[in-house]
Amino acid sequence: IRITDVSEPSLALLLVDDRTADTPTVLVCPGGGYRLLAYNKEGTDVAAWLNSKGINAVVLKYRVPGDRTAAFQDVQRTMRVIRSWGIDSARIGVLGFSAGGHLAARLSTGYAEEIYERVDEVDDFSSRPDFSVLVYPAYLNRDDVLAPEFDLSADIPPTLLIHSEDDTRFNRGTKLYDAALENAKISHRFILYSTGGHGYGLNSDGEAREWPQRAIEWIKSLPAL
C-alpha cells in the first residue's frame, strides 16, 4: 500500500490485547522519501509485529508529498496526543524507516522546537520520545557532515540505529549520526550489517533480516522498560 497524497494527518492505534498500564507504546513512522508512505510494509505490518511482542503501536499517516515541516509538525503533535492518553510517560518510543527514520531523528533532537501554534491543552505535553529506533534512516547528512536540523545539545533519548553497508546512498548519514551521538555521550547502539539494502521493512533477504529480534531485545533492555 503506497499512499501518495495526505493533506490531513491521522493515526491508527493498535493495542495489545492483554496490555497493562506499563505496556510500552511505539509511534511508527513509515518511509517513502517524503513523497509517499509505505503504509503497510513500514507501518501496519510493523504495528502487528510490535503487538505480537507485547508492545502497543501507533502508525502515523503524516502529510505527504514534499512538506517536511508539515510532517515534523504531525509527528510532534502525535507524540503529545499519545502522552495525553495517560500512557506510562517513560515507555513511549518512536520507530522510523528511511524518511520516517529522518522524521524520528528530528523528533528525538527537535522535540522542544515550537514549529506550530498551540492548538489546545494537548500541546502542554512533551513531544520527546523515551527511546528511538531508526531503521535505514535517510537524509541524516549533507554531503560529509550531519544535517543541520539535528540539535545534539538536546536531551536525546536512547537510540538504536540499524543500517547496512550495501545501502550506500544513505548509510553515510547514519554513520555520522552515530559518531555525533557518541561525541555527545548519548546512550545508543549502532548495528551495521554487511547486507540488507534499503526499504525492506521487516523482511530483508540479507544479514539485516535479524534486525527485528535485535530491536526487541534492545527495547526490552532499556532501564525504564
Side-chain angles (χ1 to χ4, degrees):
I1 300 174
R2 296 160 65 89
I3 299 175
T4 57
D5 187 6
V6 180
S7 58
E8 294 287 341
S10 62
L11 57 86
L13 173 62
L14 292 88
L15 298 173
V16 176
D17 289 337
D18 57 350
R19 61 191 178 278
T20 64
D22 59 359
T23 297
T25 298
V26 169
L27 171 57
V28 180
C29 300
Y34 287 109
R35 298 184 305 277
L36 55 87
L37 301 177
Y39 191 68
N40 58 336
K41 182 172 67 172
E42 297 173 351
T44 53
D45 290 354
V46 175
W49 161 69
L50 288 167
N51 284 178
S52 75
K53 302 301 181 181
I55 299 172
N56 298 320
V58 177
V59 182
L60 174 60
K61 191 183 291 182
Y62 56 88
R63 282 173 281 179
V64 291
D67 192 339
R68 296 190 186 189
T69 298
F72 187 28
Q73 292 170 344
D74 296 343
V75 76
Q76 263 200 1
R77 172 71 177 180
T78 302
M79 180 57 73
R80 289 174 172 140
V81 167
I82 296 170
R83 291 200 180 281
S84 76
W85 294 337
I87 291 174
D88 189 309
S89 62
R91 299 171 184 269
I92 305 173
V94 63
L95 189 161
F97 298 83
S98 192
H102 174 265
L103 195 56
R106 287 201 70 185
L107 184 65
S108 298
T109 60
Y111 54 84
E113 293 181 33
E114 296 182 2
I115 57 167
Y116 63 87
E117 292 186 7
R118 187 178 186 276
V119 177
D120 53 32
E121 65 276 3
V122 168
D123 289 320
D124 295 333
F125 290 86
S126 172
S127 69
R128 179 186 179 274
D130 299 306
F131 57 92
S132 181
V133 180
L134 314 184
V135 185
Y136 49 82
Y139 317 128
L140 299 188
N141 62 309
R142 299 287 188 274
D143 297 319
D144 289 329
V145 297
L146 194 67
E149 60 262 32
F150 302 120
D151 178 8
L152 275 301
S153 67
D155 181 18
I156 301 170
T159 300
L160 175 63
L161 306 172
I162 305 288
H163 225 129
S164 58
E165 287 286 9
D166 60 351
D167 184 11
T168 54
R169 182 180 178 188
F170 294 119
N171 65 25
R172 176 61 175 159
T174 307
K175 292 175 181 179
L176 289 169
Y177 195 73
D178 167 60
L181 293 179
E182 184 70 28
N183 187 59
K185 296 180 171 54
I186 302 300
S187 174
H188 73 290
R189 183 182 179 193
F190 182 20
I191 303 177
L192 181 64
Y193 295 104
S194 296
T195 56
H198 190 86
Y200 46 76
L202 295 169
N203 300 298
S204 171
D205 58 5
E207 287 185 5
R209 69 175 65 89
E210 71 158 26
W211 85 261
Q213 182 59 34
R214 301 287 83 78
I216 290 297
E217 292 171 355
W218 180 83
I219 291 171
K220 294 191 173 180
S221 74
L222 297 173
L225 301 172

